[in-house]
Amino acid sequence: MPDNSSSAYAKQPVGKPRIPVVFWLLLTISLSLVMGTVLLSNSMKHLKTVSHYFGFDLLPQEVRAPPPKALPRPTPPATFTLPLHVIEPPVVESASTFLRTWRISGAAMCAALRNAGIETSDWAAASFNADTFECFFEWSGKREKDQLPSSIFVIVRGDAAGTINNMRVKIINPGTDENGQLDPGILRIFEIMLRQPQWLDFHETLNAIKNLKDIKEDGFGASIGFTREVLNPGSYNFTLSLDATSGSQKRTRNYFSGRRWLPLPDPAVEIDSAQPESVSKPPDDEAPAEGQEHRH
């Protein structure tokens, strides 16, 4: 009998070996797992990159809230260092003090008296000393019985630069009213002299003069006095002056001397220039009563 098995085997064609389908399936699954692991790792960063590359927005980008702003740090307190001379006790040999100054010139003071009806002379050099400038007013009444005649003498004295040295008034047997108070026309002289320097701390002086009482006030270098003469009860003397007496006042005066600094403008001139010409004078600027009474 012929060998059919060998002949049948010999008739089969020779070809490539076949790969089972299971192998391809396992390979596909393995590659998918690897690609999925790569794409999904690192918070799906690679998947987002690939989708963005191909124009797909598979996973919208998360909108992250901005980080909270840091609270501002409090500003450190300011520090400063005081110079040593501020906290050291003052040295007596170099200490100064407050010192009053004239706020009006001699010429302006004389003009203010004339505007009030006290006919003083012009501010000019004195006959006995060319370095001394002054203006004055003098009036004398009639002599009555054994009494000295009533008289008024006013003088404002200073230097060529216009700085006032002192102001003096002497009245003898002045007129008074039924209450024993000084005649308003004469009192007007003291009102002008006390008001023009613009020193507002001498509150009792004018009231004492009005009642013919002695008074003396001092403050920051200024000295004001109104006294009755002992030997002549009807005579009164008024003085107003600036005199640096203590060492500290002298140091202050020397430091602020006009030889070192430019002079201040006259405040009276600034006030006059600021006022319109059409403004009428106040009633207080009328002539004093004494000017009309004593000249006749």
Side-chain angles (χ1 to χ4, degrees), residues 32-48 59:
S32 299
L33 292 175
V34 172
M35 292 179 62
T37 304
V38 173
L39 293 175
L40 297 177
S41 63
N42 198 9
S43 300
M44 294 186 291
K45 178 180 179 182
H46 300 290
L47 180 60
K48 295 178 182 178
L59 297 174

Side-chain angles (χ1 to χ4, degrees), residues 128-272:
F128 63 89
N129 188 352
D131 295 332
T132 301
F133 276 63
E134 64 184 15
C135 71
F136 60 90
F137 167 76
E138 189 173 9
W139 174 87
S140 295
K142 295 181 180 180
R143 186 185 183 95
E144 296 181 2
K145 298 181 181 180
D146 296 334
Q147 293 184 351
L148 294 174
S150 299
S151 63
I152 303 173
F153 179 74
V154 179
I155 188 168
V156 180
R157 185 168 290 169
D159 56 22
T163 304
I164 300 174
N165 292 334
N166 59 77
M167 295 188 289
R168 294 189 293 117
V169 179
K170 184 179 182 66
I171 54 177
I172 299 177
N173 296 327
T176 57
D177 58 13
E178 63 275 8
N179 296 322
Q181 295 182 338
L182 188 62
D183 180 82
I186 304 176
L187 185 64
R188 182 65 172 160
I189 300 173
F190 303 101
E191 290 176 349
I192 296 298
M193 287 187 165
L194 292 174
R195 186 180 63 187
Q196 289 298 320
Q198 303 179 23
W199 301 333
L200 305 180
D201 53 335
F202 297 108
H203 306 289
E204 303 297 331
T205 303
L206 190 62
N207 188 52
I209 295 174
K210 182 178 181 180
N211 293 281
L212 297 175
K213 294 182 179 180
D214 292 359
I215 188 172
K216 183 174 177 60
E217 291 191 80
D218 296 297
F220 304 113
S223 177
I224 297 179
F226 181 80
T227 57
R228 183 197 305 261
E229 293 184 2
V230 178
L231 299 180
N232 299 310
S235 299
Y236 301 86
N237 294 297
F238 170 84
T239 59
L240 193 161
S241 62
L242 285 182
D243 188 16
T245 55
S246 64
S248 57
Q249 290 179 352
K250 292 179 180 179
R251 282 188 291 271
T252 303
R253 182 187 60 184
N254 294 336
Y255 179 82
F256 291 102
S257 173
R259 295 187 298 269
R260 301 182 57 182
W261 306 94
L262 293 175
L264 293 174
D266 190 345
V269 176
E270 295 179 358
I271 294 174
D272 293 340

Side-chain angles (χ1 to χ4, degrees), residues 19-30:
I19 301 175
V21 178
V22 178
F23 172 80
W24 293 110
L25 181 61
L26 294 175
L27 181 60
T28 303
I29 294 174
S30 300

Side-chain angles (χ1 to χ4, degrees), residues 113-136:
L113 289 170
R114 285 194 297 272
N115 292 336
I118 298 96
E119 298 297 331
T120 62
S121 61
D122 293 331
W123 180 258
S127 57
F128 63 89
N129 188 352
D131 295 332
T132 301
F133 276 63
E134 64 184 15
C135 71
F136 60 90

